[in-house]
Amino acid sequence: MAGTGSAAAAAARGLARPGPAARGGSGVYKGWRRLLGPKETLRLLEGSVVHREGALLALSKPPGLPILGRPGDLSLDALLPALRRRLGLAAELHVVKAPAREYSGLVLLSSCYHTTKKLQQFFTNARQRGQYPATYRAITVGVPAEVEGEICTGLCWQQQGDKAMVVPVPAPGRRSLARKDVKITQTHYRVLSTMGGCALLQLQPRTAFPEQLQVHLTLLLCPALGDHEHSSHVGRVLGVPFFLTPETTPTRTQVLDKELLSRLGLSPRQVHHLPLHIHLQELVLPEGPLCAPPPPYFQHTLHCLGLPEH
């Protein structure tokens, strides 16, 4: 059942080997972190359809686009009526499965209410059986000590000044778990390739919590490339990484060493253009897997770092 829309595939292929202009600066990254207007976002979504069969429609969303939003805000849900008309669909579209706002990747939509509920229950049952219906790819700054393993920790929201942040709770108490102040979260990871201190990882979350994958990667001491929210929680002394508690470390733009900046064709002042390199690549449905290629900037980074894609 795996499928790839021609427009999305062409975009990914087109930047897999960047030209001189892309190598010379942050141009390939810059556009992915700026806010797009509704018309531009709609065109992007229309061109990123990777599967269309029966009541099901799948597309690959860009990072930064929320699934839901307040009235008047730009969100996938707000754009669905216009997307349905542009694609010539008669029935209303419902979101079955989608990555969080900060991630790129597969969005599964359905024009049948019963199909939507059936598939949502399928995903819930799969996680309860210890299966991993969603597979992500991530490019990390750092390489995990083990080639494969499980990350398991409590997560909770914590107020820090005027901002709420997701923080790890390594040993949550029974009361905090009973009150659901803290949730036990789990992610399976596997290293697919490494090069020059960076890695391409496969991530399969068994639980769902906001920013779970980013926090779990910092606990591996390998923050995701483009993570300007949690990467500051990994420090280094003489090249050896260690974890810094969120309470003592303010959020800041990710800091990259000179060698990595050079490989990416970036200056320190351009790092803030880097989008988050976490992509929902595959969903396993009852009929089989459904896949979407990484966005152009992700492919560009793989090429710059010499990381083979698996």
Side-chain angles (χ1 to χ4, degrees), residues 51 109 269:
H51 180 81
L109 304 170
R269 296 180 63 181

Side-chain angles (χ1 to χ4, degrees), residues 76-96:
L76 176 67
D77 186 65
L79 293 173
L80 286 182
L83 181 64
R84 174 180 64 82
R85 291 192 295 271
R86 292 183 75 133
L87 295 175
L89 300 173
E92 185 178 333
L93 288 170
H94 308 277
V95 178
V96 179

Side-chain angles (χ1 to χ4, degrees), residues 151-156 158 166-174 176-177 182-185 215-216 218-219 243-247:
I151 311 155
C152 185
T153 189
L155 292 180
C156 75
Q158 186 179 92
V166 178
V167 299
V169 184
R174 291 183 180 180
S176 61
L177 291 171
V182 179
K183 179 178 179 178
I184 298 296
T185 58
V215 177
H216 281 188
T218 64
L219 293 175
F243 185 74
L244 294 164
T245 60
E247 294 85 356

Side-chain angles (χ1 to χ4, degrees), residues 262-274:
S262 176
R263 290 159 69 191
L264 295 173
L266 296 173
S267 70
R269 296 180 63 181
Q270 294 171 324
V271 174
H272 71 277
H273 291 311
L274 274 174

Side-chain angles (χ1 to χ4, degrees), residues 218-292:
T218 64
L219 293 175
L220 279 182
L221 305 180
C222 302
L225 184 65
D227 184 356
H228 308 296
E229 188 77 19
H230 298 278
S231 61
S232 60
H233 303 151
V234 178
R236 287 182 180 273
V237 172
L238 300 177
V240 179
F242 62 96
F243 185 74
L244 294 164
T245 60
E247 294 85 356
T248 61
T249 317
T251 297
R252 66 167 186 260
T253 300
Q254 189 170 32
V255 176
L256 304 177
D257 63 37
K258 290 183 179 179
E259 182 183 347
L260 183 52
L261 287 171
S262 176
R263 290 159 69 191
L264 295 173
L266 296 173
S267 70
R269 296 180 63 181
Q270 294 171 324
V271 174
H272 71 277
H273 291 311
L274 274 174
L276 183 64
H277 284 61
I278 299 179
H279 174 74
L280 176 53
Q281 182 149 321
E282 180 182 286
L283 288 173
V284 177
L285 306 184
E287 297 80 11
L290 188 62
C291 302

